Amino acid sequence: QSVLTQPPSASGTPGQRVTISCSGSSSNIGSNTVNWYQQLPGTAPKLLIYSNNQRPSGVPDRFSGSKSGTSASLAISGLQSEDEADYYCAAWDDSLNGRWVFGGGTKLTVL
Amino acid sequence: QVQLQESGPGLVKPSQTLSLTCTVSGGSISSGGYYWSWIRQHPGKGLEWIGYIYYSGSTYYNPSLKSRVTISVDTSKNQFSLKLSSVTAADTAVYYCARGISSSWYKVLDYWGQGTLVTVSS
């Protein structure tokens, strides 16, 4: 059971805008920044968004992040077939002397 | 660009110790400001953070695994290592190493290795 809660699946058609939510608590999202990762089949997670809404160099601006209170969201606009992947949120959790916690992942299907 | 590469046995017997090494290239493990983590992913499941180490040798482990985990660093080889003792089938997973940043404003695991599958089986 993951500490951060994500919907197990999401879907959209090419060109559409989809959002993926991530819910946490005061000890993680509520007090620390949120990161998002994209994991294509058989590959390692790739950093997509850090510090709630910052994109690393090379990540298209179709990807955006936001945070409010103890929840965060990842938005993907202009959906493309290559966006089909698993998406994970992550945050540092201040409980138990501190640890990284992750969401259970959301499988995005491009219809 | 920083690259990380895991290496180690892909098969470990139950009750034995899992040992993996992560080799860092494109940057020095001794440069300050970064910490070096291990994360695992059970087959078809989500991600679980195992622990991290600073170049100085200071470590921090996930409380749920702390009693079985040791992470060490070899700055001369630009490597850090994971040992997980008394493994069971529940430790079968893809193990990733990653670089972490902890600043005043944010924390992030930014660069990850490609991962290595470790199977625990007799």
Side-chain angles (χ1 to χ4, degrees), chain A residues 32-95:
Chain A
N32 293 291
T33 57
V34 177
N35 308 311
W36 289 91
Y37 297 89
Q38 178 192 59
Q39 186 175 35
L40 297 169
T43 68
K46 170 193 168 186
L47 182 63
L48 210 56
I49 297 288
Y50 70 98
S51 190
N52 302 329
N53 54 20
Q54 301 299 302
R55 283 186 308 276
S57 174
V59 173
D61 59 6
R62 302 187 296 105
F63 295 91
S64 62
S66 64
K67 174 186 137 175
S68 178
T70 58
S71 294
S73 290
L74 172 71
I76 309 171
S77 60
L79 198 62
Q80 300 179 2
S81 57
E82 55 261 40
D83 298 332
E84 187 160 292
D86 293 326
Y87 292 85
Y88 293 91
C89 58
W92 183 258
D93 190 299
D94 293 327
S95 66

Side-chain angles (χ1 to χ4, degrees), chain A residues 2 32-33 35 37 39 42-45 47 49-51 88 92 94-105, chain B residues 35 37 39 41 44-49 52 60-63 96 101 105-115:
Chain A
S2 301
N32 293 291
T33 57
N35 308 311
Y37 297 89
Q39 186 175 35
T43 68
L47 182 63
I49 297 288
Y50 70 98
S51 190
Y88 293 91
W92 183 258
D94 293 327
S95 66
L96 300 177
N97 292 322
R99 55 176 177 153
W100 276 107
V101 292
F102 297 90
Chain B
Y35 57 93
S37 274
I39 303 103
Q41 185 171 32
K45 302 292 185 183
L47 299 160
E48 180 181 31
W49 175 71
Y52 67 67
Y60 198 80
Y61 303 137
N62 188 327
Y96 295 100
I101 297 172
W105 302 274
Y106 65 89
K107 294 178 174 66
V108 63
L109 296 164
D110 57 354
Y111 288 99
W112 296 54
Q114 65 185 31

Side-chain angles (χ1 to χ4, degrees), chain B residues 9 12-19 68 82-87:
Chain B
V12 181
K13 289 181 167 48
S15 81
Q16 294 191 340
T17 296
L18 178 159
S19 296
R68 299 194 292 131
L82 168 70
K83 290 189 185 299
L84 181 66
S85 63
S86 305
V87 297

Side-chain angles (χ1 to χ4, degrees), chain B residues 73-86:
Chain B
V73 65
D74 186 337
T75 54
S76 67
K77 295 181 179 178
N78 226 32
Q79 295 176 334
F80 63 106
S81 299
L82 168 70
K83 290 189 185 299
L84 181 66
S85 63
S86 305

